């Protein structure tokens, strides 16, 4: 998710009361596996997009998807010793 400014060991604050909208960053369970991705549209269908080009989009059509919440804040440490 580095392409979206989210780095390894960052702290994400998630609002579970918000409905997900296109371009929101979500915590979602796709077929039972948790992931953090941006909600997008591909060919008119919803998809989860990675901020890392090494990971392909996850098309949601025909999959079991549960949105856990919308990421509203991202916190990362300036001193890496704090996060180890």
């Amino acid at each position: 998710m580095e392409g979206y400014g989210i780095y390894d060991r960052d702290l994400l604050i998630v609002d579970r009361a918000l409905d997900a909208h296109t371009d929101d960053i979500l915590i979602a369970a796709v077929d039972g596996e948790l992931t953090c991705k941006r909600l997008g549209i591909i060919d008119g269908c919803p998809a989860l997009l990675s901020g890392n080009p090494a990971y392909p989009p996850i098309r949601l059509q025909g999959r079991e998807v549960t949105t856990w919440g919308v990421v509203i804040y991202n916190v990362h440490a300036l001193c890496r010793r704090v996060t180890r």
Side-chain angles (χ1 to χ4, degrees), residues 3-73:
Y4 299 135
I6 299 173
Y7 300 94
D8 188 34
R9 298 185 182 265
D10 279 3
L11 174 67
L12 302 179
I13 299 171
V14 177
D15 190 334
R16 296 197 65 192
L18 292 177
D19 291 327
H21 293 275
T22 302
D23 292 328
D24 284 344
I25 295 179
L26 311 176
I27 304 297
V30 180
D31 296 331
E33 291 191 40
L34 282 178
T35 189
C36 178
K37 304 276 189 242
R38 182 180 296 274
L39 180 60
I41 304 292
I42 297 177
D43 298 329
C45 296
L48 295 178
L49 311 174
S50 175
N52 182 336
Y55 295 95
I58 300 171
R59 294 173 186 259
L60 300 181
Q61 190 172 3
R63 301 184 92 155
E64 182 182 331
V65 180
T66 303
T67 301
W68 282 38
V70 176
V71 176
I72 58 170
Y73 291 102

